[in-house]
Amino acid sequence: MANITRRNGIALAAGAAGSLGLAHAADRSSGPKKEATTAGIERYEPSPSMPGIPLISNLVVHGNMAYLSGVTANPADLGDIKDQTRQVTARIDALLAKAGTSKAKLLTAQVFLTDMSLFAAHNEAWNEWVDPNNRPVRACLLSPQLWRPGMVVEIMVTAAI
């Protein structure tokens, strides 16, 4: 048997995934807010170039993976933890759709809460949203403060395509 390098193994796995009917990066529509590609990397929804704003993309796609930045609720429409979690998960759904995937293909989630006493209420909204047949691994961490006062939850996810 031939010696398979890690890179060749990844390429073989990507080819096998493609034969299963999974979308390739080139199959996704570019959408209005997509940056140019570099070495097969697609970047969507770049942040504006403004003082004090980090230069990030809200969604990066590479190969058969979608990586989302931390997602928070709309700062102009902050509600309680359940409202904010619902806003965040709806935004995650929209970003995943741009990548040609969905919450059914979530692999990981990192949740940041500003107050762990909100954990149970957050989980109620999370459990309403997450695909119960395709549960991602998840970490929930205490973050003393998010980027805007009144924000109590931020979620970052990675999904297969």
Side-chain angles (χ1 to χ4, degrees):
M1 179 176 265
N3 185 14
I4 297 177
T5 65
R6 182 175 182 274
R7 182 180 300 266
N8 289 340
I10 291 169
L12 288 171
S19 69
L20 295 173
L22 299 175
H24 289 275
D27 297 335
R28 287 183 290 281
S29 63
S30 62
K33 295 183 180 179
K34 178 183 153 191
E35 290 183 342
T37 61
T38 302
I41 300 170
E42 298 177 33
R43 301 174 195 279
Y44 295 80
E45 297 192 6
S47 62
S49 295
M50 296 172 53
I53 302 294
L55 296 176
I56 65 168
S57 296
N58 286 303
L59 166 65
V60 174
V61 176
H62 183 255
N64 289 320
M65 300 292 290
Y67 305 89
L68 276 65
S69 66
V71 178
T72 56
N74 179 348
D77 188 25
L78 296 175
D80 66 14
I81 183 65
K82 287 183 182 181
D83 294 332
Q84 288 190 36
T85 300
R86 288 180 184 122
Q87 281 187 44
V88 169
T89 55
R91 177 81 174 119
I92 289 170
D93 282 337
L95 287 166
L96 291 173
K98 282 187 179 194
T101 191
S102 72
K103 65 186 173 187
K105 294 190 175 185
L106 284 181
L107 301 172
T108 66
Q110 296 84 39
V111 176
F112 303 91
L113 295 176
T114 59
D115 182 345
M116 282 301 182
S117 72
L118 303 173
F119 184 72
H122 160 75
N123 284 337
E124 288 179 33
W126 170 271
N127 290 346
E128 291 170 3
W129 171 76
V130 76
D131 183 335
N133 297 315
N134 296 290
R135 303 168 188 192
V137 298
R138 188 183 101 161
C140 189
L141 306 166
L142 178 63
S143 177
Q145 184 177 334
L146 297 177
W147 70 275
R148 198 73 174 259
M151 288 184 172
V152 294
V153 61
E154 181 170 350
I155 303 174
M156 183 175 169
V157 301
T158 302
I161 297 178

